[in-house]
Amino acid sequence: MGTVLLIGVLWTAFAGAHVWLSSSGVRPRLIARLGAQPFQGLYSLVALATFVPLVWLFVTHKHAGPLLWTTLGPAGLARAANNVLMALALVLLVSSLLPGGAAPSSMLAHGPATARGMTRITRHPTLAAFGLFGVAHLLVNGNLGDVVFFAGFPLFTGIGGRHQDGRKAHAIAGYDALIATTSIVPFGAVATGRQRLVVRELSLAAIAIGLVLTVATCTYHGALFGP
């Protein structure tokens, strides 16, 4: 149980440091004192100092704690949903990393804020990718330690996404309209009619790379990450 508690503590430290350092009361003062690039370095260093121990603790203590479920729902359906969600997560992640793929919500974006391509699917593609990763793994990992670790990803996506939205709404022209017409949850705004999906705007390279990574991950998951 100590391991499970420590996973929760490290998640809290990681999320808390992110929100605090990027808050409107702290971020401008640190940038004014340190400069933009040194601030980015500090931000990344703090993130690594909390996230790396979190991942290391989980990797070295996988399946800690009592078993709450084997799979959420029928095993075949849970595994299929896991694969679909991971494919979407990897496509979103690759899309956000490719040149020209940064969303208006990204830390370095300055506007104007417009929905295009993957941003029509989610205005936070990087965060959404990690959120989907967590949900996908919750479907097939039911030990308490696994649940605390993987649940942290969608929780952080929600907290971090809303925090970024609040800051960007004051700094970027048109961001309020972007919030109104897009969603954090992938396809949420499309499903409710607030946004439309324009296939021609999507990056075929991101989709192809994401799907290749999905196949490779499914094929070699046991060898790379264990059961």
Side-chain angles (χ1 to χ4, degrees), residues 16 22 25 27 30 37 77 120 147 153-154 193 200 204 219 221:
S22 62
R27 186 174 184 268
L30 286 177
Q37 291 301 320
L77 184 60
R120 295 182 185 273
V147 171
F153 289 93
R200 68 177 180 274
L204 293 179
T219 303
H221 188 282

Side-chain angles (χ1 to χ4, degrees), residues 112-140:
T114 57
R116 179 176 175 80
M118 287 295 177
T119 311
R120 295 182 185 273
I121 296 174
T122 170
R123 66 177 172 272
H124 293 284
T126 304
L127 283 174
F130 286 111
L132 290 172
F133 165 83
V135 173
H137 284 77
L138 283 171
L139 295 174
V140 293

Side-chain angles (χ1 to χ4, degrees), residues 174-201:
Y175 202 90
D176 283 333
L178 185 75
I179 293 174
T181 58
T182 59
S183 60
I184 298 176
V185 176
F187 295 104
V190 175
T192 57
R194 293 182 290 124
Q195 187 56 257
R196 62 192 181 94
L197 182 63
V198 182
V199 176
R200 68 177 180 274
E201 294 179 356

Side-chain angles (χ1 to χ4, degrees), residues 103-114 168 171-175:
S105 59
S106 66
M107 181 175 289
L108 299 179
H110 299 290
T114 57
K168 293 290 185 179
I172 295 181
Y175 202 90

Side-chain angles (χ1 to χ4, degrees), residues 80-92:
N82 169 273
N83 291 336
V84 170
L85 291 175
M86 281 304 302
L88 178 56
L90 288 170
V91 168
L92 288 174

Side-chain angles (χ1 to χ4, degrees), residues 217 219-227:
T217 301
T219 303
Y220 300 106
H221 188 282
L224 293 173
F225 308 110

